[in-house]
Amino acid sequence: MEAGHGLAGVRQLWQSSHALLVIPVVLIVVITAVDQLVPAHIHLGPLLVIAPAITTSFAGPRLTGLIGFLAVAAQAYIGWHFGMLLSRNVLVQILALAVLSAMIVFFCVVRERYRRQLDRVRSVAEAAQHVLLWPLPERIGALRIACLYLAAEDEAQIGGDLYAATRIVGGVRIMIGDVRGKGLSAIGEAALLLGAFREAAYRHTSLPDLAAALEQSVTRYLADFEPAEETGERFATTLLLELPDDDRITRIISCGHPPPLVLSPGRALTVPSLHPAPPLGIGEMGPEGYTVDVLSFEPGDTLLLYTDGVIEARDADGDFYPFETRAAQWSEAGPESLLHHIQRDLLAHTHGRLDDDAALVALRREPDIHRHRHHGRVIHASGFGHSS
């Protein structure tokens, strides 16, 4: 199916390029005809160079070379028409037009080479994104999940923002994080943190133990690879979540990361008050240094996780994106539709240009758990939290 869409796109591009060839051909015909009508002391032949010059904007080297050849032939015809084909002036004009057309074709070849290199870089970036940011499944247990990644750098598909989800005994653990910096410079730290989470999420029975393990991994990495001039300046904010299968709650540890939004039916929005620990990499802490906040998470509710690239996005006037207000408008939407609305609205707010990477994960609990409802969003806070 995807191959069919790709072939259709190539065919459409090919057809559009051929359709646009009418423009330089018409220009050649018009300039040639008008040159024969104007007084003899007016020479329009040099204007024929416009034809290959504009062709290179939408066509490849071969079509550009064809138009250049037609332009040179038209210049020769004009000289022949006036009986001056072998005159020094006409020969110089023909030679100059041929040289300029050849130069245009040469630059077109160089451009196509760089374009192919860019396509290869993009394909490698897409492959790296799938290796580092494994696509989250649409469903884990009783959860429907959707994710979105928007890179700030034009040619990058990945950067310093990250997310991951894994199934554990009795529930699901999810991480979203933001490594300091953006684009390709932060990929190393992001890859380390993702790998550490995927391994440690199974081994540690409590969220504080998991957070402490991630802190140790980041600290060791920075000790080995952090440049001396950036000592203390590289870290990662992280939000760790544990969602038990048999209870309508969510356990959360925030390591300097913004709290999630809880969207409920009827455009209800709650921003829980968390007890954040320092970001990972600031200073090694033990499990006792992390506080677990417990939120009510009912069937039909949506947890919306995000990085600061979303809430710090600005428009042309410098105004921040009103994330909470906009997200509440689509509280009834499913995870995929919700992120589609936010992506379109966010890019419209920033005119398609983000200053920082942005990642979002939407989690919807399906109505298959039948326990009593807890009252209030933040129902408990303690030093430790255990998986069910």
Side-chain angles (χ1 to χ4, degrees), residues 322-334:
F323 180 51
E324 297 178 11
T325 302
R326 301 294 175 83
Q329 299 177 1
W330 305 301
S331 61
E332 304 283 352

Side-chain angles (χ1 to χ4, degrees), residues 13 20 35 49 65 100 105 117 171 227 231 239 253 338 344 352 377:
L13 178 62
L20 290 174
D35 190 81
V49 73
L100 290 174
V105 172
Q117 292 177 350
T231 301
L239 199 67
I253 285 181
L338 172 63
R344 184 176 57 185
R377 286 290 164 194

Side-chain angles (χ1 to χ4, degrees), residues 43-381:
H43 303 285
L44 300 181
L47 295 179
L48 289 167
V49 73
I50 297 175
I54 65 173
T55 304
T56 191
S57 65
F58 59 82
R62 293 185 179 181
L63 292 179
T64 302
L66 174 61
I67 295 300
F69 173 79
L70 294 178
V72 172
Q75 180 67 70
Y77 171 79
I78 292 174
W80 173 82
H81 176 78
F82 288 103
M84 302 174 60
L85 178 59
L86 299 180
S87 66
R88 179 179 301 177
N89 184 41
V90 173
L91 289 176
V92 169
Q93 292 181 16
I94 293 175
L95 179 61
L97 182 56
V99 171
L100 290 174
S101 298
M103 293 179 61
I104 292 172
V105 172
F106 171 76
F107 286 118
C108 190
V109 170
V110 173
R111 183 199 64 191
E112 290 299 307
R113 180 179 300 173
Y114 281 120
R115 177 178 295 176
R116 288 192 297 269
Q117 292 177 350
L118 181 58
D119 289 340
R120 287 195 293 268
V121 169
R122 285 173 174 168
S123 66
V124 171
E126 291 174 359
Q129 182 182 38
H130 287 296
V131 171
L132 295 180
L133 289 179
W134 298 346
L136 299 183
E138 295 181 0
R139 183 182 294 271
I140 300 182
L143 299 176
R144 286 177 55 197
I145 303 178
C147 54
L148 173 66
Y149 194 101
L150 299 173
E153 294 189 2
D154 292 336
E155 308 307 336
Q157 300 289 326
I158 52 179
D161 290 11
L162 53 100
Y163 48 74
T166 186
R167 184 81 171 147
I168 61 172
V169 177
V172 177
R173 280 179 174 171
I174 296 175
M175 175 184 69
I176 187 169
D178 183 3
V179 175
R180 183 183 182 274
K182 64 180 181 180
L184 301 178
S185 62
I187 290 179
E189 291 91 331
L192 165 87
L193 192 52
L194 285 168
F197 171 79
R198 289 165 182 154
E199 176 65 24
Y202 296 98
R203 298 171 50 193
H204 299 280
T205 58
S206 73
L207 278 185
D209 288 336
L210 174 58
L214 296 180
E215 171 65 37
Q216 292 175 1
S217 296
V218 172
T219 300
R220 286 196 301 267
Y221 176 86
L222 293 179
D224 293 335
F225 298 104
E226 184 179 32
E229 64 274 10
E230 296 185 11
T231 301
E233 297 183 4
R234 301 177 73 169
F235 53 85
T237 66
T238 309
L239 199 67
L240 300 173
L241 297 91
E242 183 176 275
L243 299 94
D245 292 335
D246 60 351
D247 207 350
R248 299 176 174 181
I249 63 171
T250 299
R251 301 185 182 99
I252 300 180
I253 285 181
S254 171
C255 299
H257 200 83
L261 303 184
V262 184
L263 304 176
S264 302
R267 294 192 175 185
L269 180 143
T270 304
V271 183
S273 178
L274 305 182
H275 301 79
L280 302 179
I282 294 297
E284 190 168 349
M285 296 187 355
E288 66 280 355
Y290 297 95
T291 299
V292 179
D293 293 299
V294 184
L295 316 179
S296 173
F297 186 31
E298 295 291 332
D301 288 352
T302 299
L303 271 177
L304 186 55
L305 319 178
Y306 55 94
T307 58
D308 59 9
V310 178
I311 57 177
E312 294 180 359
R314 299 172 181 261
D315 61 11
D317 297 326
D319 296 328
F320 289 108
Y321 177 63
F323 180 51
E324 297 178 11
T325 302
R326 301 294 175 83
Q329 299 177 1
W330 305 301
S331 61
E332 304 283 352
E336 300 84 359
S337 179
L338 172 63
L339 295 189
H340 175 74
H341 286 304
I342 293 175
Q343 177 183 11
R344 184 176 57 185
D345 192 55
L346 175 62
L347 293 179
H349 179 82
T350 60
H351 302 286
R353 180 74 179 185
L354 295 176
D355 293 327
D356 195 4
D357 301 328
L360 298 104
V361 178
L363 311 169
R364 169 73 63 87
R365 186 186 289 277
E366 295 299 317
D368 59 349
I369 300 177
H370 305 289
R371 291 192 173 189
H372 65 278
R373 184 177 180 89
H374 297 274
H375 298 287
R377 286 290 164 194
V378 181
I379 63 175
H380 178 67

